[in-house]
Amino acid sequence: MNKEELEKRNIGENLDMLMTLDPRGYGVCRILYDGCRSRVGGPLSVNAAEALCSTIKEQDVVFLFTGFVLLPYRVPEMDGMVGTILTARALIQAFHAKPVIICPQECVKAVIRCGHTVGYQVYEDMDLVREMPLCMGVIPFTKDQAQAKEQAEKICETIMPDAMIAIEAPGANGVGRYHNAIGKDVTELEAKSDVLWNLLREKKVPSIAIGDLGNEIGMHFLGDHIRKYIPYTDKNECACGCGGGILADTEADHVITATCSDWGCYGMIAALAFLKKNMEILHEESLEEEVMKEASRNGMIDMTGSLRPGIDGFDLKMNAGIVSMMRQCTEYALRHEGEYDHWYGPVLEKGFFDRQG
C-alpha cells in the first residue's frame, strides 16, 4: 500500500461510516454493510466511484432506476428519488454524462421538477437528451408484467446506456413477486423496470446497485448473507404466501448498502468528488434540502407516509447533516493535500493497514 492508496481507503472509510450511521438502532444497515464489505474487500463508496471513473466517458448515457411505491399509501417514496436526482447531477458535473431516469409514471412530474431544482432540463424525448447539453432524461416504465419485456426491448432500440445504477428500485423475487419491507405483496404497485435491468445485464452493461434492505434491484449480490440475517428475505418468510421471500432476484456488478439508499448515493458522490478532486460534484447542504422539499411538493412521501420532506423517517436537518459531514471530510482532504505527507511513510511502515480487509 502506498500513500495515495492509504488516503483513498481512509476517506472511503469515513464516507462508509457516515452512510451507515444507525439512528434507529435496529442494526439492519450494519448487517448489510458487513456482508457487502466482506465481498468487496474495501470501502463501498470508493469502490463504486472508481467503477464510475473507469466506465463513464463524456456524453455517455447512464440509466438510473428508481421509484418504490409504498403501502398503504400507494404513492412513491422519497428515498431513491432524491438520491437519483442528485446522482444524475453528479454524473453531469463529473463526466458531462447523459443521465436517463427509469421510474414509474407517477414519479415523472417529481423527476422533472427536481431536475429543474438542480439546474437541468429534463426531457422525455431521447433524441433531445442526446442533442441538448447539460440535461437529463426520464422514461416512465410500465407496471404491466405482460408489457415489460416489449417496452424494455424498445428502450434498448431507442437509446442504449453505457452504464446503469439502481437506487432503491423495486426488484422481484425468484417467483416474480415484489414485496415491501415487511413482506407484503406490492407487485401491482411497482414498475417492472427490473425486466429492463436484466436485459441490460445480458448485454453486459456495467451496473451499480444501491439498497438498504434486500428487496431492491441488485441485492441478490448478497443473497446468501441477506437470507441468513435479514428478516422476511428467505423462502416462506414473506407475508403474501408466494413462498419466495422479499429478496430481489437481480444481480449487479457493484453494490452499496446504507442506512437509507440516498445516503449510499451521497457516499458514492462524495468519493467521486474526492477521486476527481472537484467538490462541485457533491451537492451542498442547501441543495439537499431544496430537492427534498421539491420532491415532497410533487407527491413523494416519506417512509412514514408524511408529505413533509423526509427520507426513511429522517428529516431535512438529518439529511443535510449527513451531506455536510461528507462534504467536510472530503473537502478537508483535498484542501490540505500534502500537508500531512510526513505521516504516511511512518504509518505505513508500522504495517497496521497491511492486515486490514
Side-chain angles (χ1 to χ4, degrees):
M1 182 179 291
N2 58 31
K3 181 257 184 186
E4 289 74 22
E5 291 168 338
L6 179 59
E7 183 180 39
K8 179 174 64 177
R9 175 202 174 90
N10 285 319
I11 294 300
E13 298 284 9
N14 294 339
L15 299 173
D16 281 18
M17 283 190 283
L18 287 168
M19 73 188 190
T20 54
L21 290 176
D22 189 10
R24 302 186 191 104
Y26 70 167
V28 169
C29 55
R30 303 285 163 76
I31 296 168
L32 291 170
Y33 184 80
D34 180 76
C36 201
R37 179 62 182 260
S38 295
R39 179 162 177 184
V40 171
L44 308 185
S45 54
V46 168
N47 176 67
E50 288 185 314
L52 294 176
C53 289
S54 65
T55 301
I56 301 174
K57 305 181 296 300
E58 187 168 348
Q59 302 300 307
D60 275 1
V61 174
V62 183
F63 279 7
L64 302 173
F65 293 69
T66 197
F68 215 119
V69 181
L70 300 184
L71 283 176
Y73 316 102
R74 306 176 76 86
V75 173
E77 66 170 323
M78 249 194 278
D79 188 26
M81 173 58 61
V82 175
T84 294
I85 293 294
L86 292 163
T87 299
R89 175 194 174 275
L91 294 173
I92 296 171
Q93 290 280 332
F95 305 107
H96 294 286
K98 299 284 190 175
V100 175
I101 297 170
I102 312 295
C103 62
Q105 178 66 54
E106 57 263 54
C107 291
V108 170
K109 179 183 175 183
V111 167
I112 293 171
R113 297 288 177 81
C114 290
H116 294 170
T117 299
V118 300
Y120 299 111
Q121 293 288 351
V122 182
Y123 301 110
E124 294 187 63
D125 183 333
M126 294 302 108
D127 288 336
L128 282 175
V129 172
R130 290 193 195 89
E131 176 188 345
M132 302 300 290
L134 302 177
C135 69
M136 306 177 191
V138 61
I139 299 174
F141 203 85
T142 184
K143 296 184 178 185
D144 187 338
Q145 189 70 53
Q147 297 178 13
K149 183 178 179 182
E150 181 181 359
Q151 185 183 7
E153 290 170 347
K154 285 183 178 178
I155 289 171
C156 292
E157 291 170 3
T158 302
I159 185 167
M160 270 294 292
D162 301 282
M164 57 182 179
I165 307 171
I167 303 165
E168 190 67 13
N173 67 6
V175 296
R177 309 303 293 180
Y178 300 73
H179 295 82
N180 70 2
I182 57 172
K184 292 184 178 181
D185 192 322
V186 292
T187 302
E188 66 169 304
L189 300 179
E190 309 302 342
K192 307 305 183 287
S193 58
D194 50 346
V195 174
L196 173 59
W197 177 274
N198 286 333
L199 178 60
L200 294 171
R201 289 271 300 164
E202 291 173 8
K203 296 177 181 293
K204 309 299 183 186
V205 175
S207 58
I208 296 171
I210 302 176
D212 59 24
L213 185 61
N215 56 343
E216 308 96 350
I217 287 176
M219 289 300 110
H220 206 269
F221 179 91
L222 300 174
D224 290 341
H225 183 82
I226 288 174
R227 276 192 293 264
K228 185 174 182 179
Y229 294 113
I230 302 295
Y232 309 110
T233 59
D234 205 356
K235 292 180 179 179
N236 299 314
E237 287 188 343
C238 55
C240 71
C242 77
I246 74 171
L247 176 65
D249 196 37
T250 36
E251 296 277 355
D253 298 323
H254 306 276
V255 167
I256 289 177
T257 64
T259 302
C260 53
S261 295
D262 283 352
W263 294 4
C265 292
Y266 307 155
M268 178 179 70
I269 296 167
L272 184 59
F274 174 75
L275 295 175
K276 302 283 281 186
K277 300 187 183 301
N278 178 5
M279 285 306 300
E280 293 298 316
I281 293 169
L282 177 58
H283 59 286
E284 295 186 359
E285 300 92 314
S286 58
L287 188 56
E288 170 73 16
E289 294 186 2
E290 287 181 35
V291 175
M292 288 179 64
K293 289 176 182 177
E294 193 64 28
S296 68
R297 292 185 189 116
N298 287 279
M300 303 295 101
I301 60 171
D302 184 21
M303 176 185 70
T304 64
S306 174
L307 273 168
R308 295 286 295 169
I311 294 172
D312 278 2
F314 304 122
D315 62 12
L316 286 171
K317 185 176 181 180
M318 184 74 175
N319 284 280
I322 294 292
V323 173
S324 178
M325 286 299 297
M326 288 183 175
R327 281 194 64 86
Q328 290 177 66
C329 290
T330 309
E331 189 173 33
Y332 187 96
L334 294 178
R335 185 170 66 249
H336 295 281
E337 188 174 19
E339 291 184 23
Y340 303 104
D341 282 0
H342 59 284
W343 272 101
Y344 285 93
V347 166
L348 287 168
E349 286 174 9
K350 289 287 185 176
F352 174 84
F353 290 100
D354 293 334
R355 64 183 181 85
Q356 296 296 293

